[in-house]
Amino acid sequence: METSKNKKNEKSSTKAVKHDGMEKTSTGSKEQTEKLQLKRQVNLLGGVSIIIGSIIGSGIFISPKGLLQYSGSAPVSLIIWTACGIISLFGALCFAELGTLIPLSGGDYIYLLKGFEDLGSASPIPAFLFLWISIITLTPSSSAILSLTVAEYIIEPLYPNCASPFMVKKLVAVLVICSIAVFNCASVKLTTGFNIFFTSAKLTALILIILCGIVNIYKNGIPEEITTFEGSETSVKNIAIAIYFGMWAYSGWNSLNNLTEELIEPEKNILRAIVISLPVVTICYILTNIAYLTAMSPAELLSSDAVALLFANNVFGKAAPVIPVLVAASAYGCALVGCLGTARLAFVAAREGHLLDLLSYIHVNYLTPVPAVIFNTIISVIFISLGNFNSLINFLSFSTWLFLGLEMIVLMYMRWSKRDKKRIYKANLLFPIIMLLTSIYLVFVPIIQDPQWEYLYACLFILAGLLLYIPFVHYKIHLNCIDKFTFFMQCLLLVAPSDKFYNEDSEKAKDLSSTKM
């Protein structure tokens, strides 16, 4: 009785909603119904800023030394930086095909879910396990790290003569996370607008560093370290780890696919944003690393955990503090757009029945997934309070490539299973093959060359997701207390169920590419 009452209340609250952002769609008769949906308001510029903002965080400014350390020489490190950019472009082009073939938000999760859906009852398991490690560990921990980075650059100048209290950093990081949540709850347009600003800030920082590098080369010539291959690494394992560092710096190239349902003309703008963003980032990364080596030796670079700060002190003199400000802005922008994508992942998963229904609700006025944003914020704050979680993340990172390899298999499988479906864009078959081989290399080579118990623990952690999947998703066990909690939060947050505008089970559903904008 309570459940039915809640459903009636939900329906009545949904019907009562009036908002200019809601789309009216014809049902084939004279009647028209209003749909409560995420609003399309991310244009091409917003899409480009989302990809660049997701890729360029604090890593390129703080610690590119890992790649140099495992590559053994500057020329090899620059080759790996270039190769990682090309691999990321190939992957992004594969995702452009997936994004137009499966026009739904949710990125990796939705492609794993829809790609294997005709293979039986166990087909959702890969998607659920990806969801499990993403929303519980990888994405919130990344937000926590970025927020702590912002806090460090805010707090350090206040304690010039002593170490700053770590608890103060944690409190500031929590405030940073909460401010990001406010922006994401208030408006997608506002969030992407702020992200454009922060993307401009991080590109400004890179351009300043690159210009200084050009000046150094003009004055002193090309340093010998950039052209000599002496000491280059030949170990397969170390090259794999170097590629890991490089691909980590490029991570985020698939971020725009999380917001497909909010992108204006996605059938055009996904590909356009990728083609613009990835070459820009790759060129900036290569030139920035060259610039670093014009102002410091490889030994100095390897000794620093904050390469950009050391570079600024060597080159900018009294103007050096401008770099920490830009680094903090870069980290904040990356966390801002990260929350945008993670919330959509939880939103889509809840809509598909893999998380609480509440997480698929959107605010009746702002048309943003407020419960999903709050959920991501709470987990990120938990990681900030834990403090030490780097070892877990390091050994779970290989799972990202494991699932990416599965997505390339999905793409190639759908070339056969959906061969009759019209494709707006079709990536070269060589691209998913290269991505699949890269994922196999990065997953298995480190484990074979240097087996550690932590890899087993990481695999067990991934499989632990089945403890939730089997009872609550496969057998659909439902707790009555969840309905009461959902109804209470619906009233508290002023949210309502969103209308699912796309249903692949129905042949009558229109593709996103034919949606009238």
Side-chain angles (χ1 to χ4, degrees):
M1 295 298 292
E2 183 66 27
T3 302
S4 62
K5 179 181 178 181
N6 290 341
K7 289 182 178 179
K8 289 180 181 179
N9 284 324
E10 290 174 1
K11 290 180 180 179
S12 63
S13 65
T14 305
K15 290 179 180 179
V17 172
K18 303 284 184 181
H19 192 275
D20 294 337
M22 295 179 193
E23 300 176 3
K24 291 185 177 182
T25 57
S26 175
T27 59
S29 63
K30 293 182 179 180
E31 294 183 356
Q32 287 185 325
T33 59
E34 290 184 340
K35 286 189 175 183
L36 186 63
Q37 298 173 351
L38 299 176
K39 187 180 178 182
R40 295 192 184 281
Q41 48 190 332
V42 180
N43 57 19
L44 177 60
L45 178 60
V48 170
S49 72
I50 285 171
I51 296 176
I52 294 178
S54 298
I55 295 175
I56 304 176
S58 58
I60 187 64
F61 300 107
I62 294 178
S63 186
K65 70 176 186 178
L67 196 150
L68 179 60
Q69 177 182 349
Y70 285 97
S71 61
S73 68
V76 174
S77 72
L78 294 175
I79 291 171
I80 292 176
W81 278 111
T82 305
C84 290
I86 294 172
I87 291 171
S88 299
L89 178 60
F90 288 169
L93 291 173
C94 292
F95 267 59
E97 178 177 344
L98 287 169
T100 53
L101 189 62
I102 304 175
L104 291 170
S105 294
D108 307 70
Y109 163 78
I110 203 68
Y111 305 147
L112 289 170
L113 182 66
K114 298 296 182 181
F116 294 132
E117 64 181 350
D118 57 347
L119 296 182
S121 59
S123 60
I125 290 178
F128 185 86
L129 294 180
F130 171 83
L131 174 71
W132 162 250
I133 64 164
S134 294
I135 67 171
I136 298 299
T137 55
L138 293 181
T139 49
S141 63
S142 176
S143 297
I145 292 171
L146 290 168
S147 299
L148 287 168
T149 301
V150 175
E152 183 172 357
Y153 282 102
I154 292 174
I155 295 299
E156 285 294 340
L158 303 178
Y159 296 86
N161 300 319
C162 61
S164 57
F166 190 61
M167 185 57 67
V168 175
K169 290 182 183 178
K170 283 187 175 184
L171 292 175
V172 173
V174 170
L175 292 177
V176 168
I177 286 285
C178 291
S179 68
I180 288 171
V182 170
F183 289 134
N184 274 273
C185 288
S187 168
V188 174
K189 194 171 184 179
L190 177 66
T191 304
T192 54
F194 271 108
N195 183 58
I196 291 172
F197 169 77
F198 287 117
T199 299
S200 301
K202 64 184 70 178
L203 287 176
T204 299
L206 292 180
I207 290 171
L208 284 175
I209 293 171
I210 291 168
L211 289 176
C212 289
I214 292 173
V215 171
N216 288 338
I217 291 175
Y218 178 77
K219 289 181 178 179
N220 307 316
I222 299 175
E224 183 180 352
E225 292 87 349
I226 296 180
T227 58
T228 178
F229 283 83
E230 184 180 352
S232 297
E233 186 59 63
T234 57
S235 166
V236 174
K237 171 200 164 187
N238 287 342
I239 292 297
I241 295 175
I243 295 174
Y244 252 128
F245 276 101
M247 294 307 300
W248 175 79
Y250 282 98
S251 62
W253 49 261
N254 55 349
S255 55
L256 188 59
N257 292 67
N258 287 322
L259 291 92
T260 301
E261 296 170 28
E262 295 166 87
L263 184 64
I264 297 171
E265 294 187 306
E267 68 279 2
K268 298 177 181 178
N269 286 334
I270 287 180
L271 183 60
R272 289 173 179 172
I274 288 168
V275 171
I276 294 171
S277 304
L278 268 300
V280 168
V281 173
T282 303
I283 292 170
C284 284
Y285 275 9
I286 295 169
L287 295 180
T288 299
N289 279 276
I290 293 175
Y292 286 151
L293 292 168
T294 64
M296 64 188 82
S297 66
E300 287 180 295
L301 193 150
L302 290 172
S303 68
S304 175
D305 287 327
V307 177
L309 297 184
L310 180 60
F311 179 89
N313 290 330
N314 290 347
V315 175
F316 293 148
K318 293 182 178 180
V322 71
I323 292 297
V325 173
L326 293 175
V327 171
S330 175
Y332 188 93
C334 192
L336 183 72
V337 75
C339 179
L340 193 70
T342 305
R344 272 63 186 176
L345 174 60
F347 168 82
V348 172
R351 194 172 62 184
E352 296 293 335
H354 286 180
L355 290 175
L356 294 177
D357 288 341
L358 175 64
L359 298 179
S360 68
Y361 289 13
I362 63 177
H363 197 279
V364 296
N365 294 322
Y366 302 141
L367 302 182
T368 55
V370 171
V373 172
I374 294 174
F375 175 75
N376 176 66
T377 302
I378 291 172
I379 300 181
S380 298
V381 169
I382 291 173
F383 270 96
I384 291 174
S385 65
L386 291 175
N388 186 15
F389 48 84
N390 288 334
S391 58
L392 170 65
I393 304 309
N394 290 338
F395 286 100
L396 276 176
S397 295
F398 84 96
S399 64
T400 302
W401 282 97
L402 174 64
F403 287 109
L404 185 60
L406 284 176
E407 288 166 70
M408 295 304 104
I409 294 174
V410 164
L411 178 58
M412 292 185 283
Y413 172 70
M414 288 196 298
R415 290 278 181 95
W416 173 78
S417 65
K418 299 184 185 297
R419 56 189 176 277
D420 296 329
K421 188 169 183 178
K422 183 179 179 182
R423 284 165 169 76
I424 299 169
Y425 166 75
K426 193 173 184 179
N428 190 305
L429 183 60
L430 188 63
F431 296 167
I433 292 175
I434 291 174
M435 292 300 295
L436 177 59
L437 293 176
T438 302
S439 66
I440 293 172
Y441 176 73
L442 293 177
V443 168
F444 292 106
V445 167
I447 296 176
I448 294 172
Q449 293 284 327
D450 186 22
Q452 299 182 46
W453 283 106
E454 283 83 353
Y455 287 115
L456 176 61
Y457 299 151
C459 291
L460 292 176
F461 181 84
I462 295 170
L463 294 176
L466 294 174
L467 299 177
L468 292 175
Y469 176 84
I470 293 173
F472 297 112
V473 178
H474 183 75
Y475 288 108
K476 296 180 171 37
I477 294 176
H478 184 75
L479 304 176
N480 290 331
C481 61
I482 297 298
D483 292 323
K484 297 179 181 179
F485 174 74
T486 299
F487 181 66
F488 171 76
M489 295 304 296
Q490 182 182 0
C491 296
L492 178 65
L493 300 176
L494 196 59
V495 295
S498 61
D499 291 299
K500 188 174 180 181
F501 73 99
Y502 180 86
N503 181 8
E504 197 168 36
D505 295 332
S506 172
E507 293 297 329
K508 296 180 181 179
K510 293 183 178 180
D511 283 342
L512 184 121
S513 59
S514 62
T515 302
K516 185 177 181 181
M517 302 303 300

